[in-house]
Amino acid sequence: MEANWRSVFTPPEKLTVAEWAELKLTLSERETATPGPLRFSRTPYLTEVVNSIADPNTEQITLCWAAQCAKTIGLFVMMAYGIDVDPGQILCVYPNSDLAKSVSRNRIQPLIDDCRTLARHKPNDRDKFSLLEMYLSRCTLRLTGANSPANLASRPIRYLYADEIDKFPAASDKEAGALDLAIERTKTFWNRKIVCTSTPTLDTGNIWRRFLEGDQRYFFVPCPHCSKKAGTTAGFQKLNFENLKFDSSLKHDDGSYDLDAIRDSVYYECQFCKGRILDKHKRKMLQLGEWRATATGNRHRSYHLSALYPSWIRFADVAIKFLESKDYPDSLRNFRNSWLGLPWLREIHATDDSEVFAHRSDYKLRTCPVEPIAVVLTADVQQDSLWYVVRAWLPGETSYLLDYGQVPNTDALLNVVGSVFDGPNGEPIRITHALIDSGFDTKEVYNFCRSNRFIPVKGRSGTQQTTPVKWYPIKGEHLNLMMISVDVFKQALQDKLGKPLGSPGAWHLPEDVCGIYASQLTSEVLAKKKDSKGFDVYYWEKVREDNHLLDCEVYQLALAYDLRLRQQRPTAPNEVKPKPKPQESSSSVNPFVRRDGRSFFDFGRI
């Protein structure tokens, strides 16, 4: 009897957040590749991170991490602890509402259902446990998209979890940025917690700014060789890509990298003893690792982690990804962001006409010196005319300008679409894809697209779109609109012009290209200014009024991206190409059908 009373009045054992999570949480197959009870043995770097949510001296937590490093698992652990142990109103913000619903359906609700400790907080009324609003026993969990300002500007909250904040809409003339609106909702709570996570993008992005505002913690691990020699844990260091060693000279006869041989050569070199650290050493190194602050954060812990740390990502995976990315500036940016967890530092460079003319090759306008896999026409609509560009594309995203110009109306544009270009063996080359800007005179453009099988395209500037290309069904038009992030592809075009001919993804121009093309292609330059908070902001500034051919080339790059031309393997020099089929006469050939009989609908979506 005495023992029973003692058990009732004895306070529960004080557990850290990580200890509570290992006792209570179970991960489903929808949550992780290793379902079952949660264990931090594979991710020791998460232990301090999740424990910090219960630290009364910590108000803000920022995770600037590479992709697939378990930062979302850490966020869910902190959220679950708040639901069960230290409740308060919770708001989870994702880049858009669709993503918020998907995360709720596939990750958060299964986590609550699979954990009896959390499931007991569920309401009996199913209607109070919806995808975006869950009324739990002692708190309410709400999810919303950063694209819904009204949902960010109401209801006070104690816990704010903001995921992938670099994809949140930026501030506009009408209102503050989405992240600032969400943070405003926490200011009435003295014990508020603001948790922000993201893979970085630019040095002006939300996550990198917040990381620098915090105490800038890095995970230091001991070298297995130094510690063995010293008889203790020595050689503590943070893992840097510069110390990843591999033999990039191993190549095939055609000049491509011998990835299998390179993979076997990869190791990490200790910065102290120069010893070889291999994947098999990672698990023990991580267990002995520790977070070290490198700045003063003022109640703000900020953590950085690269893909060199997780045990499921091999050193060779990082090296191979770098070799696959290094020849393409935008892929290299993705490697720096998603693998190294570092922002891309944009270089302000004003492209001039001479840099454009440096891409002239030994062929003339309206001739095609190669056998393309796609020939694309893009058009920019003006009040009194249309400007157009025709470009031939090869695997690997190499391209050749075939034609450009200005026509008075859409009838004249259709004549351009029916053009036949001279191929490398005298064979006719025809247009396979046709896109037209729908930003001006939109209704008429939609009617034209529907009647003539063009794809309507529209550009957005800034960070209002989470992916470079999105397709939207146009209500009542039986068309799909191709929406693109113009800033992404303007930067990609500048990168193309900065690459020499002969490099992968080269940008070829005919020898008789004129100054009008070069002038319009360089009509905008990347500029930088300070925002209201004193942070740097990049934008594209017009230095000449006419930029129509620039817009056309931006649309070209957007379609090449959507067709995944870069992922297609270029033909090796000794590879035999299939013999082309006999051609029909030019008068009977549909200009939207390739020579192999495939429609351009096989390549694009409409």
Side-chain angles (χ1 to χ4, degrees), residues 561-598:
Y561 170 88
D562 195 62
L563 299 181
R564 300 181 180 273
L565 297 185
R566 182 176 303 171
Q567 284 72 32
Q568 298 190 34
R569 185 178 63 88
T571 304
N574 59 350
E575 186 173 343
V576 178
K577 296 181 180 179
K579 186 176 180 180
K581 296 180 180 180
Q583 300 298 307
E584 301 174 67
S585 64
S586 59
S587 61
S588 62
V589 172
N590 185 330
F592 290 99
V593 177
R594 286 169 44 85
R595 289 181 302 283
D596 58 5
R598 294 175 65 187

Side-chain angles (χ1 to χ4, degrees), residues 377-484:
L377 177 142
T378 53
D380 183 52
V381 181
Q382 299 299 307
Q383 186 171 3
D384 57 351
S385 64
L386 298 93
W387 289 80
Y388 69 90
V389 161
V390 180
R391 185 167 284 275
W393 291 90
L394 301 181
E397 219 177 71
T398 296
S399 66
Y400 290 78
L401 178 66
L402 304 187
D403 195 13
Y404 63 93
Q406 182 182 21
V407 292
N409 50 47
T410 52
D411 289 338
L413 185 65
L414 289 175
N415 291 332
V416 176
V417 172
S419 298
V420 178
F421 304 93
D422 294 331
N425 299 314
E427 298 172 357
I429 301 291
R430 296 178 176 85
I431 292 171
T432 59
H433 303 65
L435 286 75
I436 186 169
D437 169 44
S438 61
F440 179 81
D441 206 1
T442 303
K443 188 67 177 179
E444 289 299 320
V445 169
Y446 288 164
N447 292 336
F448 174 77
C449 291
R450 193 167 50 251
S451 301
N452 298 283
R453 298 166 65 181
F454 270 62
I455 299 174
V457 59
K458 188 174 181 180
R460 281 181 176 175
S461 60
T463 57
Q464 299 174 358
Q465 190 163 304
T466 57
T467 57
V469 176
K470 276 193 172 183
W471 293 84
Y472 295 94
I474 305 172
K475 187 175 181 180
E477 297 289 348
H478 303 290
L479 290 170
N480 285 337
L481 174 66
M482 182 181 180
M483 187 74 74
I484 71 168

Side-chain angles (χ1 to χ4, degrees), residues 36-238:
L38 177 65
R39 295 291 180 263
F40 288 97
S41 57
R42 295 183 73 231
T43 56
Y45 49 80
L46 270 180
T47 303
E48 180 188 312
V49 174
V50 300
N51 286 341
S52 60
I53 197 69
D55 180 4
N57 296 317
T58 299
E59 181 180 274
Q60 302 187 61
I61 303 167
T62 296
L63 306 184
C64 179
W65 287 15
Q68 301 302 312
C69 291
K71 63 179 179 293
T72 303
I73 293 291
L75 186 149
F76 289 161
V77 168
M78 291 184 276
M79 182 193 309
Y81 181 83
I83 292 172
D84 184 54
V85 179
D86 190 15
Q89 300 304 310
I90 303 171
L91 176 66
C92 300
V93 186
Y94 293 90
N96 56 66
S97 299
D98 290 340
L99 181 58
K101 292 177 182 178
S102 175
V103 172
S104 177
R105 179 185 300 109
N106 299 313
R107 306 194 72 173
I108 294 179
Q109 291 197 348
L111 177 66
I112 295 175
D113 291 336
D114 293 344
C115 174
R116 285 190 294 178
T117 301
L118 298 179
R120 66 188 178 90
H121 295 292
K122 290 177 61 176
N124 295 325
D125 186 351
R126 182 63 189 176
D127 291 337
K128 292 186 176 182
F129 195 74
S130 62
L131 286 179
L132 297 182
E133 201 163 41
M134 305 173 208
Y135 291 90
L136 304 171
S137 62
R138 295 188 293 168
C139 65
T140 302
L141 169 60
R142 293 183 175 89
L143 296 92
T144 188
N147 58 342
S148 305
N151 292 336
L152 296 174
S154 60
R155 298 193 188 98
I157 54 169
R158 179 186 170 196
Y159 290 101
L160 170 64
Y161 296 100
D163 197 15
E164 292 301 336
I165 62 174
D166 265 24
K167 297 177 181 178
F168 283 17
S172 65
D173 295 336
K174 296 181 179 180
E175 59 189 356
L179 182 60
D180 291 332
L181 289 174
I183 291 176
E184 279 295 306
R185 294 178 56 178
T186 67
K187 64 184 180 182
T188 59
F189 287 88
W190 63 270
N191 57 347
R192 67 177 182 170
K193 302 292 181 180
I194 300 169
V195 183
C196 296
T197 74
S198 188
T199 301
T201 52
L202 299 174
D203 58 327
T204 57
N206 286 325
I207 196 66
W208 190 248
R209 289 180 180 181
R210 292 189 62 80
F211 174 73
L212 296 180
E213 291 171 357
D215 58 9
Q216 301 174 37
R217 299 183 179 225
Y218 295 91
F219 200 64
F220 283 72
V221 293
C223 168
H225 309 296
C226 294
S227 59
K228 190 173 183 180
K229 291 177 183 177
T232 182
T233 54
F236 268 84
Q237 57 199 285
K238 66 176 181 178

